[in-house]
Amino acid sequence: MTVTAYTLAVVLDLFCVFLGYRFLFQPASAAAAYGAPADPAGDAGAYLTVKGLRDGTFGLVGLALLAFAGTRAEAWFMLCVALVPLGDTLIVLRHGGPKAVAFGIHCATAVVVLISAGLLFAV
């Protein structure tokens, strides 16, 4: 179970770093995949940059916690961070985005993050 807990946590953290990179350097395609397309050249440019910075930072903080503070700190971090994809689910639904994206990507991500937290607490 320890290998699974660590592996899932690292994969989720690296995925956050990837998402951050994508929103910073490929904002239009990242926003479309998010479920709420936005024009990076318009008013949404700041939103896309903030989202990229937020996601990337979450990934780096998660990796740092796992490396330097241990599984318990990472578990609490994952538990708190699960609120982000739950919020993303609501944002996509509120703005008329596809329900498949809202539930199939964002809500499912929240569930996986919560599973990761549970595995880390069990280690």
Side-chain angles (χ1 to χ4, degrees):
M1 183 176 340
T2 302
V3 172
T4 303
Y6 274 95
T7 301
L8 184 56
V10 169
V11 167
L12 288 171
D13 290 336
L14 289 174
F15 187 65
C16 284
V17 171
F18 166 75
L19 289 176
Y21 167 84
R22 191 156 182 234
F23 269 94
L24 289 172
F25 296 102
Q26 300 171 340
S29 59
Y34 175 83
D39 179 10
D43 292 339
Y47 140 74
L48 297 172
T49 302
V50 168
K51 175 144 176 44
L53 185 59
R54 176 196 78 175
D55 289 350
T57 301
F58 280 157
L60 293 175
V61 169
L63 290 169
L65 283 172
L66 195 57
F68 301 111
T71 57
R72 195 134 183 95
E74 178 77 1
W76 281 108
F77 174 75
M78 289 288 188
L79 191 62
C80 294
V81 166
L83 294 173
V84 173
L86 288 174
D88 290 346
T89 301
L90 297 175
I91 290 167
V92 170
L93 292 173
R94 182 172 179 225
H95 292 280
K99 288 181 181 178
V101 171
F103 294 110
I105 295 175
H106 299 295
C107 191
T109 298
V111 169
V112 172
V113 172
L114 290 171
I115 290 169
S116 178
L119 288 171
L120 289 164
F121 277 124
V123 171

